[in-house]
Amino acid sequence: MAKPKKTKSKSEGNSGRKGLAIDSFCAWDGDILVLNILGTPSANKDAIGKPKGHQLKVSVTAAPVGGKATDHMVRFLAKEFGVTVNDIEVVFGRFNVNKQLRIQSPKQLPSVINKQLSQEQAG
């Protein structure tokens, strides 16, 4: 299967690529971290929550108007992973609470993600 062309846009949303089917809320695809997210807009604070099934809960303070909550989430997650906003691609779900993100070469991993990836490697 040919590898799809990589795009680095935080705002385009669907880049024509289908999301990667993963058995967890996170997985490595080469040096790219793929995250399935259940977003909560208009929250009291920006926070990475706990896994729920095959998604990771992420809350943001921004309202869900015209993709602004997703854009805010990308900026928040860029800081959490030690990358630039351009290193995060919204594969699908820019206007939906269900999202998949691809994070290029994260410099740091939040503990919930580090724990999950460690368990997968050990198992």
Side-chain angles (χ1 to χ4, degrees), residues 37-43 45 57-62 69 73 97:
I37 291 178
L38 176 60
T40 302
S42 303
K45 65 178 184 172
K57 292 182 181 180
V58 177
S59 304
V60 294
T61 55
M73 181 183 290
V97 296

Side-chain angles (χ1 to χ4, degrees), residues 77-99:
L77 291 176
K79 292 175 193 167
E80 294 293 307
F81 286 93
V83 298
T84 68
V85 168
N86 290 335
D87 289 328
I88 299 179
E89 175 191 358
V90 179
V91 179
F92 63 78
R94 181 158 186 261
F95 302 104
N96 193 304
V97 296
N98 300 301
K99 308 175 185 310

